Amino acid sequence: MADCLFCRIVKKQIPATVVEETDQTLAFRDINPRAPVHVLVIPKDHIPALMDFRPEHAAILMAVHQTIQKVAEKENVAHSGFRVVVNNGKDSGQAVAHVHYHVLGGRGLNWPPG
Ligand code: 5GP
Ligand code: ZN
């Protein structure tokens, strides 16, 4: 989508620090990191939010999860542990309407989140 921030990052129209890229996914560092490791993993296709996933997106979902695994290994948190957060909708504070998985790690993470 032309006016979507993350679609523009996918098209390299806006710079980002890419950690991992596949045909279907992109992983890049969050501009405002909340932990030593804070990477956003997104499908390249414009899917606005988690509630928009449908059965035909199964392959994309698997690809996103594989990219999360790869990011965890590359960022050295696969063994220490990490958290994956998907904000969905207003009460969650979702600010960008292109579904994104926050991969957070590199320190102890509080539970429950605020
Ligand atoms: P949300 O609140 O929608 O779950 O998360 C959006 C995330 O995108 C925030 O953590 C924010 O820091 C990040 N973000 C917003 N604009 C940009 C940008 O232009 N580049 C990058 N790399 N991250 C961004
Ligand atoms: Zn988009």
Side-chain angles (χ1 to χ4, degrees):
M1 242 177 78
D3 61 348
C4 169
L5 175 66
F6 287 174
C7 282
R8 295 187 70 192
I9 287 178
V10 167
K11 289 184 218 148
K12 310 281 159 74
Q13 294 168 348
I14 293 175
T17 306
V18 172
V19 176
E20 176 73 8
E21 182 165 12
T22 70
D23 286 351
Q24 294 186 102
T25 68
L26 187 70
F28 54 97
R29 296 197 190 286
D30 196 291
I31 206 168
N32 182 22
R34 304 296 186 158
V37 174
H38 190 172
V39 175
L40 301 175
V41 178
I42 65 171
K44 287 185 170 177
D45 286 357
H46 181 80
I47 297 166
L50 183 144
M51 284 300 286
D52 299 304
F53 278 119
R54 295 291 176 266
E56 58 266 32
H57 296 129
I60 290 175
L61 268 178
M62 188 64 226
V64 165
H65 279 244
Q66 285 179 305
T67 297
I68 290 169
Q69 292 173 339
K70 189 83 185 190
V71 166
E73 283 164 4
K74 277 191 168 177
E75 298 290 306
N76 289 313
V77 294
H79 294 291
S80 57
F82 61 95
R83 182 172 294 157
V84 178
V85 174
V86 184
N87 290 318
N88 188 92
K90 184 169 68 69
D91 278 359
S92 74
Q94 181 182 5
V96 180
H98 181 131
V99 71
H100 47 282
Y101 290 60
H102 296 260
V103 179
L104 298 150
R107 64 168 170 82
L109 299 164
N110 296 329
W111 189 262

